[in-house]
Amino acid sequence: MSARPPAGSGEPEDHLEGVLERIIYSNPENQFCVGEVREESGSVHTVTGVMPQVQCGETLQLKGFWETHPRHGRQFKVNECASTLPASVYGIRKYLGSGLVPGIGKTYARKIVEAFGKDTFSVIEEDSARLREVEGIGPKRAHEIKQAWDTQRASREIMLFLQTYGVSVRNCLRLVKKYGGQAKQILLQDPYTTAREIEGIGFKTADQIARNLGFGFESPERLEAGLLHVLRDLESAGNTALPRGILLEEAERLLEVEKTELEPHLGHLVEDGHLVPVPGTDLLQLPVNRARERSIAAQLARLRVVGSALPPIKVEVAIRWAQERSGIAFAPEQAEALRSALTSKVSILTGGPGTGKTTILRSLVAILKAKKVVLSLASPTGRAAQRLSESTGENAATLHRLLRFDPAEGRFTVDEDHPLKAAFVIVDEASMLDNALAAALFRGLSPDTHLLLVGDVNQLPSVGPGNVLKDLIEYGGVPVVRLEQIFRQSEHSNIVTTAHALLGGQASPPKTARQLDELDPRWDLQFLSAPDPGRCIEFLEDLVTDWMPKRLPSYPVLRDVQVLAPMHRGLVGIREINTRLQKKLNPEAAGVRFGDTFFSVGDRVIQMRNNYDKNIFNGDLGTVTKVQPDAGTVAVAFNNREVDLERMEMIDLELAYAISIHKSQGSEFPVVVIPLLKQHYVLLQRNLLYTAITRGRKKVVVLGDPAAWGMAVRNTEQQKRHTGLPARLEDLHSAAGENTGDRAGV
């Protein structure tokens, strides 16, 4: 908030000009800064306020007023801030050595200024090749310095431009990353472009800028941008399409304009191809979602009508061989799962924990390897792929790696023209497949390839838009085998039995304790009663940092224990839990602060958005391995691969001592801790609790309010996902006829 002179004082704002000598505190999230400014006379003053991206050595022109702080004495509260680059050799050296430009520390700052003196900035700006005249600076470093300089300049300009509009620094960084030096020009031409093209910047931010720039309340740009925003915004809830009525209602609420005023603009968007109807329905969707759903349906049709690449297999003999090899008598549904996979070009295997999915996958892989079939195994996430590999003994990859995503081109290079060479593809954790990834998978299959999708349809659906596994199961044109019987080795697991009881709505809270010392380390699922949020967070902190290291020493906390929480905010939300556990489990040493988060070596972190350039994806979990405080960067080990993250890339990094249940999909952890309170009521659903419990492989502790457990068990009303895939599949079914090759006859 901007500082103002005391009300009624009648005093004009004061002015202060001087060189920024020292930055005492800086918050990159809101650009609040505390520093020391030296006037030309030599007087040094403490200044506080919002000063976007100021650096030591700059000359600041400040407006504000003087006040006396009870602890820190007289200081200048900044109302407005303008700055100019330093002109003196001393100021230039201080400026460059402040860590502003990655690649230039104090040593190189001294060398560069010694070489170019007062011409340093013009050399970097206009003749950066001359930087190679400085000892130790080669072509690569000179290029990096120039690039960082340009980015910093663009970032400063756009931040100063947007400061009066209240746009957050995080969004400013996104704008600069996307548009570079063109950011200001693009905003002036059409600020709504940012809401369409930049993930993380919503319509409200763009609308705020547009209104300040003079765009009208009922301008076509605003109304059409609002309609498109509603559709994109509801993609975050999993929709790939929306009924026309819902779209208009939501847009009316957002734009505060009557539906009758919006309908013509909706028609224009359809006429211009920005929105497309789903045939046979009242659904509208974005062209990209139509293309993906059409692709899934078309490729499925192609797979079903083309013959099989598998060699001749005597299926019943193969099933008996696999049964003898495993030493397990298959239940009828398990045998049917193998039969379906071997005889159907596309098939689905679904079932909960302990129902034998792993046994079937291991047996199927053994049969195919014995027949020398070329196999590909994959899963949407790295952790799930690793588990698939461990359970089958065959290499498994993430789908992005299997389909060879090329960040430079922004697409998968495995496609219809360059398909996978595998004769059989198995995809585990298929409930996580969103429309985009499913379309890429189907496009990458050869027409004669077999595909088996394996997943638990009772889990939460994909994080991204779409409901592919459920849509394919309900379609009825793909063979589906459901494993429902719990087998002997799982009958005594409270995790497994409780999870299955949940699905029937019969589960009461498991073995309950009221104090930490009442918990029994031998039990695999327990409930710790703590209905009060304050008591719950204290119990959670003590449980993870004290009880578990003492009572479960074979499960190191930083490696094996994961907290899964329903919500981000609140006293028992993900943010608060992360802050508390970080302080206890990884006390602050040297590190990097980004916004309100401090990252240091050893911290558990999670990637929140896809970063195709670095081959890391939404939901990937990692550990900080290096920090560079001067440069403000970190290195993170994701799936045993170290990735260097620049400062702007850290926007998408968060602590992960606690993560959301949605982000845990596809992963299993040796030990899981789940806080569950009535204040989480918005998200208390049966499939959420089921997903959370089944993430624990060895131990699960739920703590909180027993009433919240009951609320979750009783709530089966999942938010409906509107997708166009069922209509596309129905078109496929009608065109192909009732008897189009479901079976491949191998």
Side-chain angles (χ1 to χ4, degrees):
M1 181 180 294
S2 297
R4 290 285 182 268
S9 66
E11 294 291 328
E13 287 184 316
D14 288 309
H15 294 74
L16 177 64
E17 180 172 330
V19 175
L20 183 61
E21 286 285 309
R22 184 163 75 100
I23 295 176
I24 299 169
Y25 169 78
S26 177
N27 185 341
E29 183 69 23
N30 58 18
Q31 293 294 292
F32 182 84
C33 179
V34 179
E36 290 181 351
V37 168
R38 182 185 297 273
E39 291 186 281
E40 191 174 351
S41 65
S43 300
V44 178
H45 308 286
T46 300
V47 297
T48 69
V50 175
M51 293 174 272
Q53 298 222 332
V54 293
Q55 298 292 334
C56 292
E58 290 184 73
T59 297
L60 303 183
Q61 294 88 34
L62 306 173
K63 292 181 181 181
F65 65 95
W66 295 97
E67 69 173 13
T68 301
H69 191 278
R71 287 182 56 195
H72 304 297
R74 191 169 185 261
Q75 55 189 25
F76 192 82
K77 290 283 286 184
V78 176
N79 222 10
E80 295 181 21
C81 172
S83 67
T84 57
L85 292 175
S88 69
V89 169
Y90 167 78
I92 294 171
R93 185 167 64 244
K94 195 172 189 68
Y95 182 77
L96 285 181
S98 65
L100 167 75
V101 181
I104 302 181
K106 291 182 179 179
T107 300
Y108 275 111
R110 176 179 54 79
K111 289 182 177 181
I112 292 171
V113 175
E114 284 177 355
F116 304 115
K118 292 184 178 181
D119 296 329
T120 295
F121 291 150
S122 62
V123 168
I124 297 175
E125 183 83 27
E126 301 167 9
D127 195 8
S128 59
R130 289 192 61 197
L131 290 169
R132 295 164 61 182
E133 297 172 16
V134 178
E135 182 183 357
I137 297 182
K140 182 179 178 183
R141 186 183 289 270
H143 175 73
E144 289 172 348
I145 291 172
K146 169 63 172 170
Q147 193 173 44
W149 176 270
D150 290 343
T151 299
Q152 174 67 21
R153 183 185 60 183
S155 178
R156 175 193 295 273
E157 288 178 357
I158 196 67
M159 284 182 176
L160 290 172
F161 171 67
L162 294 174
Q163 183 181 0
T164 56
Y165 303 138
V167 181
S168 73
V169 174
R170 187 177 291 259
N171 283 337
C172 288
L173 290 173
R174 290 192 174 109
L175 287 167
V176 173
K177 185 176 181 180
K178 174 71 175 180
Y179 301 124
Q182 299 298 311
K184 182 176 179 180
Q185 180 182 348
I186 289 170
L187 285 171
L188 289 169
Q189 289 176 347
D190 183 3
Y192 295 106
T193 301
T194 62
R196 294 193 296 270
E197 297 184 355
I198 302 180
E199 186 178 6
I201 292 186
F203 173 81
K204 290 183 179 179
T205 299
D207 198 33
Q208 179 186 19
I209 299 169
R211 300 290 297 281
N212 280 287
L213 291 174
F215 283 78
F217 190 74
E218 295 188 7
S219 67
E221 294 91 345
R222 180 175 187 267
L223 301 186
E224 293 182 10
L227 285 161
L228 290 173
H229 166 74
V230 167
L231 203 55
R232 290 191 180 90
D233 187 52
L234 291 179
E235 279 189 0
S236 64
N239 301 286
T240 68
L242 277 183
R244 185 186 185 94
I246 292 178
L247 176 55
L248 285 169
E249 286 174 9
E250 293 294 326
E252 181 182 47
R253 189 176 297 115
L254 172 72
L255 297 167
E256 299 178 354
V257 174
E258 294 291 334
K259 284 188 286 187
T260 53
E261 297 292 325
L262 293 172
E263 285 176 344
H265 295 282
L266 189 60
H268 294 155
L269 289 171
V270 173
E271 289 171 11
D272 293 342
H274 295 299
L275 291 178
V276 292
V278 178
T281 74
D282 69 338
L283 297 173
L284 293 170
Q285 63 181 171
L286 297 171
V288 65
N289 285 321
R290 174 182 63 179
R292 289 166 179 166
E293 290 171 345
R294 276 182 169 179
S295 178
I296 293 170
Q299 299 302 331
L300 179 60
R302 186 178 66 156
L303 286 168
R304 290 171 57 195
V305 299
V306 175
S308 170
L310 297 186
I313 298 175
K314 295 180 179 179
V315 174
E316 300 306 321
V317 174
I319 293 172
R320 288 195 297 272
W321 174 83
Q323 186 172 246
E324 292 169 2
R325 185 176 181 275
S326 66
I328 299 172
F330 294 159
E333 62 191 27
Q334 289 181 304
E336 178 56 26
L338 283 173
R339 189 176 297 112
S340 177
L342 291 170
T343 59
S344 302
K345 288 290 298 303
V346 181
S347 60
I348 295 172
L349 174 62
T350 185
T355 56
K357 293 196 303 292
T358 298
T359 299
I360 295 308
L361 287 179
R362 192 181 297 123
S363 297
L364 177 61
V365 168
I367 291 170
L368 295 172
K369 287 182 71 175
K371 286 290 187 177
K372 296 183 169 44
V373 173
V374 179
L375 274 170
S376 286
L377 279 69
S379 188
T381 69
R383 293 178 73 93
Q386 184 178 351
R387 286 195 295 109
L388 180 60
S389 181
E390 291 169 355
S391 63
T392 61
E394 186 74 7
N395 288 334
T398 64
L399 281 167
H400 279 84
R401 186 175 294 275
L402 179 72
L403 301 174
R404 298 176 198 158
F405 186 84
D406 185 344
E409 296 187 25
R411 66 179 186 87
F412 292 97
T413 57
V414 171
D415 55 20
E416 302 99 317
D417 299 324
H418 306 90
L420 291 169
K421 296 180 180 178
F424 205 113
V425 174
I426 298 171
V427 176
D428 197 12
E429 297 292 349
S431 62
M432 297 181 68
L433 285 174
D434 60 20
N435 263 25
L437 198 51
L441 169 65
F442 276 88
R443 282 196 306 269
L445 299 176
S446 293
D448 57 359
T449 296
H450 279 241
L451 173 66
L452 172 64
L453 298 175
V454 184
D456 186 347
V457 76
N458 293 304
Q459 285 187 30
L460 293 168
S462 60
V463 175
N467 209 358
V468 176
L469 184 64
K470 185 171 182 289
D471 286 346
L472 287 174
I473 289 174
E474 293 182 352
Y475 159 51
V478 176
V480 179
V481 176
R482 299 175 185 269
L483 301 180
E484 297 177 339
Q485 180 181 344
I486 302 174
F487 292 95
R488 186 177 304 145
Q489 62 269 30
S490 301
E491 288 174 353
H492 302 294
S493 165
N494 287 312
I495 295 173
V496 171
T497 55
T498 301
H500 284 271
L502 270 175
L503 296 179
Q506 302 170 346
S508 56
K511 178 179 170 62
T512 301
R514 299 191 177 278
Q515 299 292 335
L516 277 172
D517 57 12
E518 295 177 12
L519 291 174
D520 189 335
R522 295 171 298 178
W523 282 69
D524 67 346
L525 176 62
Q526 299 179 80
F527 192 100
L528 180 59
S529 180
D532 177 71
R535 188 170 179 81
C536 183
I537 189 67
E538 289 175 4
F539 269 172
L540 188 150
E541 188 175 343
D542 291 342
L543 174 71
V544 174
T545 64
D546 184 53
W547 188 89
M548 285 183 170
K550 290 177 181 176
R551 306 300 297 275
L552 297 173
S554 57
Y555 301 107
V557 170
L558 284 174
R559 187 191 70 192
D560 290 348
V561 178
Q562 183 63 61
V563 179
L564 304 179
M567 298 181 72
H568 284 269
R569 299 181 183 275
L571 182 59
V572 196
I574 292 167
R575 294 173 186 172
E576 178 66 18
I577 296 170
N578 273 322
T579 299
R580 287 176 177 248
L581 293 185
Q582 184 191 42
K583 288 180 179 178
K584 285 291 187 74
L585 297 174
N586 195 28
E588 292 185 8
V592 173
R593 184 172 292 280
F594 189 89
D596 295 329
T597 306
F598 189 87
F599 298 102
S600 56
V601 173
D603 277 332
R604 296 179 64 170
V605 292
I606 184 170
Q607 179 73 12
M608 301 302 289
R609 287 185 179 83
N610 292 340
N611 183 334
Y612 296 111
D613 292 331
K614 296 295 175 70
N615 199 29
I616 50 177
F617 303 99
N618 185 358
D620 280 356
L621 292 164
T623 302
V624 177
T625 54
K626 295 176 187 173
V627 295
Q628 294 181 302
D630 289 342
T633 61
V634 300
V636 179
F638 290 103
N639 299 317
N640 301 315
R641 183 176 63 89
E642 190 173 74
V643 179
D644 292 318
L645 295 176
E646 299 301 324
R647 187 158 187 81
M648 292 178 71
E649 293 172 319
M650 290 170 60
I651 294 173
D652 301 324
L653 200 66
E654 292 185 4
L655 292 175
Y657 297 96
I659 62 175
S660 70
I661 297 169
H662 285 82
K663 293 290 186 185
S664 74
Q665 290 173 258
S667 297
E668 279 188 350
F669 309 93
V671 181
V672 163
V673 177
I674 308 164
L676 205 66
L677 293 166
K678 285 193 288 187
Q679 65 182 206
H680 300 146
Y681 70 93
V682 175
L683 292 172
L684 290 179
Q685 296 174 343
R686 185 183 295 176
N687 64 341
L688 185 95
L689 181 57
Y690 173 84
T691 300
I693 287 174
T694 55
R695 298 311 89 204
R697 193 162 61 243
K698 297 293 184 180
K699 307 283 182 183
V700 174
V701 177
V702 184
L703 70 162
D705 192 338
W709 175 285
M711 290 168 65
V713 173
R714 290 190 296 272
N715 185 6
T716 60
E717 293 185 11
Q718 302 174 29
Q719 188 172 13
K720 177 177 174 56
R721 290 193 170 194
H722 298 282
T723 72
L725 184 57
R728 309 294 178 193
L729 292 170
E730 188 58 40
D731 285 348
L732 163 70
H733 193 80
S734 300
E738 293 287 336
N739 299 313
T740 300
D742 287 341
R743 299 267 169 174
V746 294

